[in-house]
Amino acid sequence: DLNLLFSRKQWYQRRVRVQHSETPNMKMAPFFHITKQFAVTLMWPTEDEIPPETPITRDLTMGETDPGKRAARLAIFRKSVEVDRGDLRVGEEEKLNPYSMYGRKEQTLPEDPPSDDTHPAILRLKATSPNDPIKVFTDLKFMAEALSDPIFNAVNSDKDADFISTSVNFDKFKEFYEEHPTKTINQFPNENVVCCKDLLLKVARRCTMKETELDNCDQLIQQRLNSNSSTWAQDLHPWWCPVGFDLVNELPVFVRNFLEREDAGLDNSWIIKPWNMSRGRGTYVTSNLAMIVKLAYTCPKVVQKYIEHPVLFYRGDVGRVKFDVRYVVLLKSVKPLKIYKYNVFWLRFANKPFSLEEFDEYEKHFTVMNYEEGAELKQIGDLEFLEMFEQQYPDHPWEEVDKKICTMIRECFDSASSLPPPRGMNHSAQSRAIYALDIMLKWNTHKTEMIPQLLEVNFNPDNQRAVKYHPNFYNHCLKTLLCDDISDIPVSEIVS
């Protein structure tokens, strides 16, 4: 009788605690009654007969067949269920190819393109003159309006353009060369190795390897993930990358690291982010293992150690808050690597004093306020910030911080271009790119040194604020990427 089954009077009269078993005698599943708009949990036996007084049990990881992921999910119940930590390992071979899964398209590449010296796209850019400007098409209206330098001419169609700046991911580089050999576009082949957070982790880990190990880097990383070393997690990551894991392929070893930190009494706060989203969307901070494991099954995510000792900035109206720095990076070439930083940077601030608590308090733990309804957006220009920063931290001149940031950027892009696709970026004479790197500073163990931490690399960043306060921003960026003479432009090449 469904009316009886779903009546609220009958529901809370039966409460049962069901233990886990590898050989359960019951199954349980949620059931939603559409017409009654009522949800219950259904339980039914897996055996024809269950003897009286027999405890009923269920498989708490029902449907999961991978031993490592089963152990990871059981760790949520570690106070009542014994977890074999020996199962918290990644398999010898990944069942999934992380370089192309979840909607990532394989990109087509020209089979035998000419050298840069003779490439039609390069020759077209070299022929630029005031009488023959570079025709630029962009799908961003504010960018087109900002191109005031006479060397550029904004056009209304990509068919008429020499340089195409699109906010849509592009993957047809082979066809682009065959059909438009003189055109240039604002994306590099396989740049998702830095723009997708799970692949950026792989790029970062390669920085800890010798050049002779790169060809087998994925296999070596898997071996090190399963290492019994007491510092295996830290050893996997370079100085500028927080310890992190891809929750699709590395959930078991993340859980092992969490339990090891728990045993050692170490801080266990973590930040969970979708592979390929920005603006803080779908991002959580927590020290709750159950929450992290459950989030791993919602959409592809990474988890990284939350920075527990960030360098803070004193706001007179609020107190000491988190902040991050956005560096704009201009990639002109992959082989050889030619990369520049724009000499103006941007700041983002939290609105509440920092502490390692109340992780659901957005304005305490996040700095992206542009898109948060009702949140104050604190604006401080880079020159004003530098003056205030060096007053607050006189023993840590920004010049030294900037050198470390540049070293970090170079290491990251050196690693990203060290292997061919799909594991690395590919050179293309027809490609240029503008990236925004979000960076935080943390203290070393003794709080004597500030260490940059790379949070993410953004393709096609929102540069409206840049244009608002620096009207020549796009003139500077495109001249750096497309022209040879950059002597009067506020950029600096980042060299090894």
Side-chain angles (χ1 to χ4, degrees), residues 109-143:
L109 301 172
E111 294 176 0
D112 190 22
S115 66
D116 286 7
D117 292 339
T118 60
H119 199 291
I122 301 294
L123 297 179
R124 166 63 192 103
L125 295 176
K126 288 184 178 296
T128 300
S129 70
N131 295 324
D132 186 15
I134 299 172
K135 301 179 182 65
V136 178
F137 170 77
T138 174
D139 53 9
L140 300 174
K141 182 180 178 182
F142 76 92
M143 177 180 175

Side-chain angles (χ1 to χ4, degrees), residues 85 229-230 232 255-265:
R85 296 195 186 185
S229 163
S230 60
W232 65 273
V255 170
R256 177 160 63 94
N257 186 232
F258 186 99
L259 298 179
E260 289 171 353
R261 295 182 65 88
E262 186 175 70
D263 293 344

Side-chain angles (χ1 to χ4, degrees), residues 469-488:
Y469 294 100
H470 299 274
N472 278 315
F473 173 78
Y474 275 117
N475 293 323
H476 293 156
C477 290
L478 295 197
K479 285 187 79 171
T480 302
L481 294 173
L482 302 175
C483 304
D484 290 331
D485 183 9
I486 59 170
S487 55
D488 60 340

Side-chain angles (χ1 to χ4, degrees), residues 27-51:
K27 286 188 176 182
M28 297 176 68
F31 184 89
F32 184 68
H33 193 288
I34 296 176
T35 57
K36 295 284 186 180
Q37 292 289 291
F38 193 71
V40 297
T41 299
L42 297 183
M43 181 169 64
W44 66 97
T46 61
E47 304 170 7
D48 292 337
E49 250 183 71
I50 300 177

